[in-house]
Amino acid sequence: MPRDTPSDTRRGSDFAVLTRRIDAAGLFARRPGYYAARIGIVAALYGGGIAAFVALGDTWWQLLVAAFFAIVFAQVALVAHDLAHRQVFRTRRASTVAGLVAGNLGIGLSYGWWMDKHTRHHANPNHEERDPDVVPDILVWSSEQAEASTGLPRAIGRRQALLFFPLLTLEGFNLHVSSVRAVIKGRLAHRAAEATLLTVHAAAYLGALLLVLSPGKAVAFLVVHQALWGVYMGSVFAPGHKGMPTVKEGEKLDFLRKQVLTTRNVRGGVVVDNLMGGLNYQIEHHLFPHLPMPHLRRAQPIVRAYCAQIGVPYHETGLIRSWAEALGHLHRVGAPLRR
């Protein structure tokens, strides 16, 4: 057990003590073998899905392939997430190239747009003014946001807990629309490459549907695939922060407390680890974004023990309970709109 203790250090140095413990455990080491295997498996599933789609032809059984591709697209997105955090490659260039291939070409998601948004989220998680994931776009995340809301957020906010999962069926479409908007606005570092790869993805995706399926089946495939993908993505990303305390402008927290107090871990073992791509260890991931996914499980007991030592609450629950806490929070903050 490391001898460092936070009792005689400033609050801002607590994270440095924890970092030394993670480093001493060897958890910053890269895992090229793991990522080679993981990317290979995801690529094989993607290729297998394409082969099954072509082999089945014009049949309603293709809706099962659509559901399968919802899982595959989510797994590709999770790989792109690790690429964005440079968990896979050491250099920015290699990470960007792989991210563009996985995100833009593989699933039609702008890698540059998403990385910018996600970076701002990591810098200020659950900050009502600075975290793009808690901006009152459609849902409201605090009572203050509810009281100040207008238009669609105000209308939805009254019953947003009941509407949360139905709204997630639109998230896949929203990710595509947001990606196209980002390209049109021209604020991306690799705009031409992103636009080209998004166009190729859209042409290949829609072309395959129209060539293999009748128009009705093509529309059904697209709707089922994109809806289930959106639900999967929301179910993976929402448990980490939704329903946890939010931070208001002017509140001062050091880095460790800002990350831990606004974040929730999800228990579940190896199955949940793989379904969520390691994001069930959201506390450890937010503290050490570059930490390879397979090391998050090993980092957890170190982080949890250290938080107990310095008196910082560490919240962890099961997957179903995490959704219940998030939905309960949405219901409570929407109360001003139901009066």
Side-chain angles (χ1 to χ4, degrees):
M1 180 70 179
R3 296 179 180 276
D4 296 312
T5 62
S7 59
D8 58 350
T9 62
R10 291 175 290 106
R11 287 170 63 87
S13 66
D14 287 347
F15 178 67
V17 176
L18 178 59
T19 300
R20 289 195 293 271
R21 296 187 180 186
I22 297 295
D23 187 35
L27 301 183
F28 288 120
R30 294 188 176 275
R31 293 291 300 274
Y34 163 81
Y35 278 109
R38 178 177 168 189
I39 293 172
I41 291 171
V42 173
L45 291 174
Y46 200 119
I50 293 175
F53 176 79
V54 173
L56 280 175
D58 189 19
T59 170
W60 286 108
W61 288 106
Q62 291 282 15
L63 296 186
L64 294 178
V65 179
F68 173 77
F69 264 111
I71 298 172
V72 173
F73 266 43
Q75 288 298 318
V76 173
L78 291 169
V79 168
H81 169 270
D82 289 6
L83 288 165
H85 284 295
R86 294 172 68 177
Q87 297 175 18
V88 183
F89 299 109
R90 188 178 302 277
T91 66
R92 184 182 301 276
R93 179 178 177 81
S95 300
T96 300
V97 171
L100 290 172
V101 172
N104 293 62
L105 182 61
I107 59 177
L109 171 65
S110 169
Y111 177 75
W113 164 76
W114 181 84
M115 187 171 67
D116 173 72
K117 176 176 177 286
H118 195 62
T119 299
R120 288 185 284 127
H121 158 70
H122 265 265
N124 292 282
N126 269 21
H127 192 293
E128 293 185 19
E129 303 294 331
R130 304 180 187 181
D131 183 354
D133 289 347
V134 292
V135 170
D137 184 14
I138 293 180
L139 303 177
V140 292
W141 304 102
S142 69
S143 298
E144 291 80 5
Q145 287 183 351
E147 292 171 349
S149 64
T150 59
L152 190 58
R154 190 169 189 85
I156 291 178
R158 296 183 178 91
R159 297 289 181 267
Q160 61 182 10
L162 292 174
L163 295 173
F164 180 72
F165 280 105
L167 286 171
L168 285 182
T169 62
L170 303 176
E171 180 60 18
F173 297 100
N174 176 57
L175 292 173
H176 295 309
V177 171
S178 297
S179 297
V180 172
R181 284 179 178 172
V183 169
I184 293 174
K185 288 180 179 179
R187 298 176 183 175
L188 301 173
H190 307 281
R191 183 187 182 192
E194 295 223 23
T196 300
L197 292 174
L198 286 176
T199 301
V200 171
H201 170 86
Y205 182 95
L206 297 176
L209 292 184
L210 295 175
L211 284 172
V212 175
L213 304 177
S214 64
K217 294 186 184 73
V219 171
F221 185 104
L222 185 147
V223 170
V224 169
H225 172 218
Q226 299 296 326
L228 293 180
W229 180 42
V231 172
Y232 190 155
M233 293 290 284
S235 298
V236 167
F237 282 91
H241 301 280
K242 306 313 179 189
M244 294 300 291
T246 56
V247 181
K248 294 178 172 54
E249 194 66 34
E251 289 188 54
K252 301 294 183 182
L253 292 172
D254 69 302
F255 178 80
L256 184 146
R257 287 162 179 79
K258 179 168 62 175
Q259 302 299 335
V260 175
L261 295 177
T262 61
T263 307
R264 176 195 295 110
N265 269 21
V266 177
R267 292 189 296 269
V270 176
V271 173
V272 173
D273 288 0
N274 286 283
L275 286 176
M276 298 186 68
L279 296 184
N280 47 317
Y281 301 105
Q282 190 73 190
I283 294 174
E284 288 71 29
H285 170 62
H286 261 256
L287 288 169
F288 305 103
H290 298 332
L291 210 65
M293 182 274 206
H295 288 172
L296 294 173
R297 172 187 283 272
R298 294 172 57 194
Q300 184 188 35
I302 300 173
V303 174
R304 184 167 50 197
Y306 184 70
C307 286
Q309 181 181 348
I310 63 176
V312 174
Y314 180 104
H315 187 50
E316 182 181 28
T317 186
L319 183 59
I320 303 301
R321 180 62 186 174
S322 72
W323 292 336
E325 290 181 1
L327 295 177
H329 174 78
L330 287 173
H331 182 72
R332 288 191 298 275
V333 301
L337 303 179
R338 294 192 296 273
R339 293 172 189 151

